Amino acid sequence: QVQLVESGGGLVQAGDSLRLSCAASGRTFSSYAMGWFRQAPGKEREFVAGISWSGETIYADSVKGRSTISRDRAKNTVYLQMNSLKPEDTAVYYCAADTSIQTMRSRLNKTYWGQGTQVTVSS
């Protein structure tokens, strides 16, 4: 059974940092592009960051310069380091797998999704 399991969310204050993890199991994801999305209450799920199988990274403008996505192939895990967090970063954060980094920005047609981890940033 293929699973993506997110962890690392929590309640933090504005300006703090968090590192989210996405552990993949059930198969090797080294050939997949991996990414992070988020969904705030009442809003659509939106792209945050993505990383290709070769290490190419892309970011949403809203987090560029404050976040870093990385992957550890040996651990089959993807990370999202978020710094200088803002209240508007509050959302459920989801990990996703896609066949290509070219389509990672779209929330549609992802191969796999995780269940999400809550990030709440207080002002």
Side-chain angles (χ1 to χ4, degrees):
Q1 181 180 1
V2 176
Q3 277 191 312
L4 298 178
V5 179
E6 301 96 334
S7 62
L11 172 62
V12 297
Q13 293 187 332
D16 286 350
S17 298
L18 273 179
R19 188 177 80 156
L20 306 182
S21 300
C22 171
S25 62
R27 66 163 296 153
T28 300
F29 281 79
S30 59
S31 63
Y32 282 84
M34 302 295 294
W36 289 93
F37 286 73
R38 66 186 182 187
Q39 188 166 16
K43 295 188 176 182
E44 292 186 341
R45 192 170 297 188
E46 64 176 8
F47 168 77
V48 176
I51 186 166
S52 72
W53 66 270
S54 63
E56 174 191 356
T57 58
I58 54 174
Y59 297 93
D61 288 344
S62 58
V63 303
K64 192 177 296 183
R66 300 189 293 124
S67 298
T68 303
I69 187 171
S70 60
R71 64 193 303 168
D72 184 327
R73 295 179 184 277
K75 296 182 178 179
N76 227 14
T77 300
V78 177
Y79 304 98
L80 181 67
Q81 175 70 42
M82 298 189 296
N83 303 319
S84 302
L85 284 161
K86 306 175 182 180
E88 50 263 44
D89 293 318
T90 295
V92 177
Y93 283 69
Y94 297 90
C95 179
D98 200 336
T99 55
S100 171
I101 193 67
Q102 303 301 323
T103 53
M104 177 55 75
R105 291 182 184 271
S106 170
R107 67 182 184 274
L108 302 177
N109 299 319
K110 293 293 172 279
T111 308
Y112 302 106
W113 285 102
Q115 292 301 307
T117 184
Q118 177 71 47
V119 172
T120 303
V121 184
S122 64
S123 57

